[in-house]
Amino acid sequence: IRIQLDLIDKLIEKNPKKAHNKFNKLYQEFKSPRALFGMAVSLNKLAMASSDTNEAAKLQGIAAAKFCQVMSLNLVPLFLFMSAGRTCLELRRHRHERGALIKALKMMKSQFPNAFDYASELAYEYLKQRKFTKAIDEMRAVLNRWPQKAGKERVLMGIVFKWQQSKGKY
């Protein structure tokens, strides 16, 4: 189905709705991760083109879910996983969907264990959600793995410890 997918990819710019429908048909038939990714790209393109803010938000939410869904499929090529993952993270951040963002960050961290940014951002997201124990655990892991890069994490851990001491939690 590679040839079909390539042809539909070219259609996204001209007619994202038609492209979405064609990707959907291929996904239903073959469960292709690339077809699902194409559906997500088409929906995101439709969201950006919509003048109705409610419709745009709805389409973008569906697109975000599909980008994230690509990451949970079996046998996803690494480049496709990374592309879907980065877009999933971007949309989750933009939409302030913290729970879904953490789930996606965990998936990216698991797939790319040597990537400092995903581990660091996961710690920071836990901190923003006031999940201090998880944040500290992640920050410690980041400090142990990348001591030369983890300046922000060291400072944040100190702030959390001080705050918790003032509240009598340590």
Side-chain angles (χ1 to χ4, degrees):
I1 67 169
R2 177 177 284 157
I3 294 170
Q4 289 173 288
L5 290 166
D6 290 344
L7 289 171
I8 301 168
D9 273 340
K10 293 175 183 174
L11 185 59
I12 292 173
E13 290 300 319
K14 296 177 210 157
N15 191 339
K17 179 76 172 153
K18 189 173 182 180
H20 174 267
N21 293 337
K22 288 179 179 259
F23 279 127
N24 187 25
K25 185 177 178 187
L26 282 179
Y27 181 71
Q28 295 306 318
E29 188 173 344
F30 297 103
K31 300 300 182 214
S32 161
R34 188 169 160 210
L36 183 60
F37 182 83
M39 287 170 55
V41 171
S42 300
L43 286 167
N44 202 36
K45 192 66 88 175
L46 285 168
M48 290 188 292
S50 179
S51 58
D52 179 355
T53 55
N54 290 333
E55 181 70 13
K58 179 183 171 191
L59 289 169
Q60 189 183 61
I62 297 168
K66 290 198 182 306
F67 281 118
C68 297
Q69 184 183 351
V70 169
M71 298 166 56
S72 65
L73 297 177
N74 292 324
L75 304 173
V76 177
L78 193 59
F79 181 77
L80 186 61
F81 185 97
M82 180 177 278
S83 296
R86 286 182 174 172
T87 309
C88 169
L89 293 175
E90 183 181 317
L91 290 174
R92 297 300 191 197
R93 269 187 227 107
H94 173 74
R95 297 172 56 79
H96 304 286
E97 296 172 346
R98 299 288 176 219
L101 177 59
I102 284 178
K103 182 178 177 185
L105 282 166
K106 285 180 181 179
M107 292 173 79
M108 292 296 280
K109 181 183 165 199
S110 174
Q111 186 71 28
F112 304 105
N114 294 323
F116 167 80
D117 292 337
Y118 302 127
S120 175
E121 189 176 347
L122 180 59
Y124 188 61
E125 284 303 319
Y126 278 136
L127 186 60
K128 289 196 298 192
Q129 286 196 2
R130 304 175 73 86
K131 295 180 179 180
F132 297 122
T133 303
K134 288 181 179 185
I136 288 170
D137 290 345
E138 289 295 330
M139 284 184 226
R140 279 191 180 127
V142 168
L143 279 165
N144 289 334
R145 176 78 171 85
W146 298 281
Q148 70 284 3
K149 286 180 147 182
K152 175 179 81 173
E153 288 73 13
R154 189 173 289 112
V155 170
L156 290 172
M157 270 183 66
I159 292 168
V160 170
F161 282 138
K162 276 287 202 196
W163 181 80
Q164 288 188 329
Q165 281 177 340
S166 72
K167 299 289 184 189
K169 302 224 178 181
Y170 276 102

